Structures are given as C-alpha cells and as structure tokens.
Amino acid sequence: LDRLLSAWLSQVYHRRVHSETRTSPLARYREVSPRYPDPELLRQAFLWRAERTVAKTATVSLLANVYE
C-alpha cells in the first residue's frame, strides 16, 4: 500500500496542475526556496525559561494562556 501511494504521489498528484495555483505541486515546491531562521535567534528561543507553579486544578498559566 505504501509503494502504491508513493507511486501515485510521484506520478500523478505532484504532476497534476492545481486549479487554484494553476501549477503542479512539484513545480510550486521547486519555486519556493526554503527559509531558515537565524541560528542565533533560534538558539535564544530555545534558551528562554520561565518558572511557573502548577495550580490545584492541574493547570499552568503562561503569557495569558492556561495549559493543562
């Protein structure tokens, strides 16, 4: 089943012209160059920390959002 799906995707779906974009998904993918975040900005984002206390209702509040 995986081989059939993969074959259909590569031979049919990726080559068929889409009605909204007027181009095939494969051509559209090749047009767009990937954008990568600045490594320093990414490093800073993952170093961010905040201490929170779990409420009696088993929730945590962070930046006006409540998480269970």
Side-chain angles (χ1 to χ4, degrees), residues 13-29 31-32:
Y13 177 78
H14 289 309
R15 298 175 193 281
R16 187 181 298 157
V17 175
H18 192 274
S19 62
E20 290 291 320
T21 63
R22 307 267 190 255
T23 185
S24 70
L26 183 60
R28 188 154 172 90
Y29 176 78
E31 286 175 5
V32 179

